[in-house]
Amino acid sequence: MSVNDPLKNMSGYASWKGIKQRCNNPNNQNYKWYGGRGIKVCDKWANSFEAFLADMGPRPSLDHSVDRKDNNGH
């Protein structure tokens, strides 16, 4: 995805980036609750915002967030 890609401005991009940061970046302040507990992002989502968006759709509103079905699962 290029810097000027319109997908970056779509609702959900910040959520996708945040998910990846919490699960993959030990320097992220919330890593201990996600990646530090072994929670991972599936390869499909980790490698493609387009795949994340296709599965989740655009964020309906700022009142919505992404959660796992199992708080201890991936």
Side-chain angles (χ1 to χ4, degrees), residues 13-62:
Y13 185 80
S15 295
W16 175 71
K17 292 292 284 187
I19 289 167
K20 293 183 1 161
Q21 283 292 308
R22 289 188 297 274
C23 292
N24 299 324
N25 182 358
N27 295 317
N28 183 282
Q29 66 184 13
N30 293 310
Y31 177 82
K32 64 183 172 190
W33 304 113
Y34 295 87
R37 291 179 44 220
I39 295 169
K40 299 177 183 175
V41 179
C42 68
D43 289 340
K44 180 180 171 183
W45 284 11
N47 297 315
S48 170
F49 171 64
E50 291 84 352
F52 172 81
L53 187 62
D55 288 346
M56 297 301 293
R59 186 176 182 179
S61 78
L62 295 178

